[in-house]
Amino acid sequence: MAAFSAVKIPPPQFTTVRSSSQRPGSSPAHFAHSPSAFNSISFGSAKSVRSRPLFAVSSDVVSSDKTKPASSSASNPAVTREVALELYEDMVLGRAFEDMCAQMYYRGKMFGFVHLYNGQEAVSTGFIKLLNQSDKVVSTYRDHVHALSKGVPSREVMAELFGKATGCCRGQGGSMHMFSAAHNVLGGFAFIGEGIPVATGAAFSAKYHHEVLKQSKPEGLDVTLAFFGDGTCNNGQFFECLNMAQLWKLPIIFVVENNLWAIGMSHLRATSDPEIWKKGPAFGMPGVHVDGMDVLKVREVAQEAIARARRGEGPTLVECETYRFRGHSLADPDELRKPDEKAHYAARDPIIALKKYIIEHGLASESELKSIDKKIDDVVEDAVEFADSSPLPPRTQLLENVFADPKGFGIGPDGKYRCEDPLFTQGTAQV
């Protein structure tokens, strides 16, 4: 069965309701196993209720088709050696980079809120490494690894985190606002959901250039990925953009990184129907649930979603069930999530899983993977040294990118910044 196939998912006639106190590690109905796991949710005691069959477009993670052959075997791996090593290197880079960010934050090299991506690497790598250079990525405040996967150099990302002039935003964006026009990273967004309309606009632009301006490309439409979390999926702009994207068949994939927690709010407590993927079919687009801790499964779903978008067949909503291994931010003591829940997902570390797959399928030896680990350690160390030795932004940069024409306000006829004029703060300077 292809990654996208219309399947009928018949849940049992009677299904046990999971209470809000139950967690993925303890409940008999695991979140990752089937959409039917969330057919009925209540906050009271467990009871039996009658359920109706679900009709969906789904990945094999939630398929009830038991006749589907395995995606790979020891003699027939799902990916080539080159692809496997590319995926491994990108995931290791993301993990090592974020671990270094934690060190630098606690050493006082970074300021403000810093949100790390540890544990979610399979989602970024599985999707972004399939993109072309001209494809767009719109991220959230947890954006460092998305930028790295899209090709923004580690030096530029680290320097931005240090607030230095050599950063990808010249030190003015910081942790939550990674942007790179050269790599088509359209920004990290601090407020949840605010990137979704930007991504939808980018997808509209791609379709407009393709169909109206006749600037078509042999490979098809440019694709936009909109990343956001489970906490965003109850916000109005999410639904508005799903409707608009499907109405106009825009080349966009809505990627939900469902790590089960919106800061300290459990997804199960905050959402009337926790199966986010079902919101796709409600608007007429495919809705897919995939194991976000398995980069190969994510990649399989991403391949078809991106191909659909390039062909002009419209958007896809993909819910990736994943888990962050650290608190919401480095200021979060992470005391709300239960130890058994964290241990359950830590045992499914996506990098360890891919490493095991590569070795078992003979795609590379352990020594080859260790050499990649060493290479990435050197890259991250170099990024820190570069960022630490880079200059701070000059004061004259303060009013740049604020006004469309800085000379009309911020810079005087003599070329000097008006804020340098002692009379400026007195309100008597000639403006």
Side-chain angles (χ1 to χ4, degrees):
M1 187 175 73
F4 288 84
S5 300
V7 294
K8 181 178 179 181
I9 308 172
Q13 185 175 5
F14 292 93
T15 174
T16 301
V17 175
R18 185 164 73 190
S19 72
S20 61
S21 62
Q22 290 177 306
R23 291 291 181 259
S26 59
S27 171
H30 280 260
F31 178 72
H33 289 174
S34 166
S36 61
F38 281 149
N39 271 348
S40 304
I41 300 293
S42 79
F43 299 108
S45 58
K47 60 181 179 180
S48 294
V49 295
R50 186 175 300 275
S51 300
R52 293 174 295 177
L54 297 176
F55 293 87
V57 180
S58 174
S59 78
D60 62 349
V61 176
V62 294
S63 171
S64 59
D65 183 0
K66 304 301 182 184
T67 63
K68 179 183 184 299
S71 59
S72 65
S73 63
S75 60
N76 185 30
V79 291
T80 64
R81 167 186 163 87
E82 291 72 21
V83 169
L85 294 183
E86 178 189 32
L87 300 178
Y88 181 79
E89 181 171 328
D90 191 63
M91 292 173 71
V92 170
L93 172 61
R95 180 70 59 85
F97 189 93
E98 297 292 70
D99 285 343
M100 183 60 75
C101 285
Q103 291 186 43
M104 295 299 104
Y105 179 86
Y106 292 126
R107 291 183 189 179
K109 298 291 186 180
M110 300 175 188
F111 304 94
F113 289 102
V114 176
H115 307 81
L116 301 186
Y117 199 75
N118 299 54
Q120 302 182 197
E121 295 89 355
V123 181
S124 178
T125 297
F127 269 95
I128 296 178
K129 300 316 287 184
L130 289 168
L131 297 181
N132 298 332
Q133 193 280 333
S134 58
D135 294 328
K136 313 297 191 298
V137 168
V138 177
S139 186
T140 66
Y141 46 75
R142 206 178 301 278
D143 57 353
H144 315 158
V145 176
H146 293 154
L148 293 171
S149 292
K150 194 59 167 71
V152 182
S154 300
R155 282 184 162 196
E156 292 185 19
V157 178
M158 189 66 76
E160 189 60 36
L161 284 156
F162 276 49
K164 297 300 184 71
T166 54
C168 56
C169 296
R170 300 193 300 163
Q172 291 180 272
S175 172
M176 296 188 282
H177 301 287
M178 296 293 164
F179 177 91
S180 175
H183 298 88
N184 284 303
V185 175
L186 303 187
F189 291 83
F191 291 100
I192 64 170
E194 67 174 338
I196 300 177
V198 173
T200 305
F204 175 82
S205 175
K207 182 157 188 174
Y208 188 87
H209 278 78
H210 183 82
E211 294 187 357
V212 178
L213 301 183
K214 306 302 181 184
Q215 297 174 357
S216 59
K217 299 180 179 180
E219 64 271 22
L221 292 158
D222 286 338
V223 174
T224 300
L225 299 182
F227 289 95
F228 49 95
D230 49 284
T232 296
C233 295
N234 296 320
N235 285 17
Q237 64 265 49
F238 168 61
F239 298 100
E240 293 173 31
C241 290
L242 287 183
N243 178 67
M244 187 178 293
Q246 177 61 17
L247 182 66
W248 293 337
K249 294 291 186 291
L250 301 183
I252 183 172
I253 296 98
F254 299 98
V255 184
V256 187
E257 297 182 299
N258 184 359
N259 60 28
L260 309 182
W261 290 86
I263 307 181
M265 173 58 72
S266 167
H267 177 56
L268 301 183
R269 292 184 61 202
T271 305
S272 60
D273 187 347
E275 296 173 280
I276 300 171
W277 63 270
K278 291 199 303 186
K279 293 175 172 63
F283 286 90
M285 71 179 69
V288 184
H289 176 282
V290 67
D291 181 355
M293 304 298 277
D294 186 328
V295 69
L296 299 182
K297 290 179 180 177
V298 173
R299 179 181 169 87
E300 181 184 8
V301 169
Q303 280 179 315
E304 187 142 358
I306 292 170
R308 288 186 69 253
R310 284 206 200 288
R311 294 192 299 264
E313 295 176 16
T316 305
L317 174 64
V318 181
E319 177 186 359
C320 303
E321 184 199 336
T322 184
Y323 202 76
R324 52 174 164 80
F325 290 167
R326 293 179 178 267
H328 172 70
S329 74
L330 288 175
D332 176 13
D334 197 20
E335 296 173 344
L336 296 174
R337 301 185 299 174
K338 293 184 177 180
D340 61 339
E341 177 183 310
K342 290 189 273 190
H344 169 76
Y345 283 96
R348 302 189 59 241
D349 188 313
I351 297 178
I352 294 175
L354 179 60
K355 180 178 181 179
K356 180 181 178 182
Y357 182 94
I358 289 172
I359 293 173
E360 287 181 351
H361 287 76
L363 297 171
S365 65
E366 188 161 1
S367 62
E368 288 177 296
L369 298 182
K370 285 183 178 179
S371 67
I372 292 176
D373 296 343
K374 176 62 170 61
K375 171 187 172 183
I376 294 303
D377 286 342
D378 292 342
V379 168
V380 174
E381 288 286 350
D382 173 73
V384 170
E385 292 175 6
F386 174 79
D388 200 34
S389 61
S390 293
L392 290 168
R395 188 183 179 197
T396 53
Q397 191 176 306
L398 184 63
L399 293 180
E400 293 181 30
N401 303 316
V402 176
F403 300 97
D405 179 10
K407 290 187 177 181
F409 180 82
I411 302 178
D414 57 359
K416 296 181 179 179
Y417 275 76
R418 298 188 190 277
C419 58
E420 303 288 350
D421 183 347
L423 299 177
F424 184 83
T425 55
Q426 299 176 24
T428 57
Q430 185 68 31
V431 176

